[in-house]
Amino acid sequence: MKNRLRELREWKGLTQEELAKLLGVTRQTIISIEKGKYDPSLRLAFRIAKFFGVKIEDVFIYEGD
């Protein structure tokens, strides 16, 4: 699954550390999501989308199997 987290984070002018604190996760979690090495829980995915004021599918792009 691809994502636009880095793009959205930079658009808001936030560092990985700042975004992590705002979402209640570690900086490593943000790094892993941005690199595509970790797919967040559904709960976290919705929190991310809500934080940026977009739909979940605007952050995470499913590319199939």
Side-chain angles (χ1 to χ4, degrees):
M1 178 170 14
K2 288 191 173 188
N3 70 75
R4 297 179 51 227
L5 184 58
R6 182 178 182 164
E7 176 186 340
L8 291 166
R9 176 179 59 77
E10 290 176 348
W11 172 68
K12 285 274 195 176
L14 297 169
T15 65
Q16 291 170 332
E17 183 69 28
E18 290 168 334
L19 180 59
K21 285 181 182 178
L22 290 166
L23 294 173
V25 299
T26 66
R27 181 174 156 265
Q28 189 59 44
T29 298
I30 300 300
I31 291 168
S32 296
I33 294 170
E34 286 186 358
K35 288 184 176 183
K37 295 182 183 260
Y38 173 72
D39 291 333
S41 67
L42 190 55
R43 183 179 301 265
L44 178 54
F46 273 108
R47 278 200 336 251
I48 291 169
K50 184 177 180 180
F51 175 81
F52 289 109
V54 298
K55 295 181 289 186
I56 198 167
E57 57 264 33
D58 292 333
V59 181
F60 300 97
I61 300 99
Y62 180 70
E63 296 185 314
D65 298 333

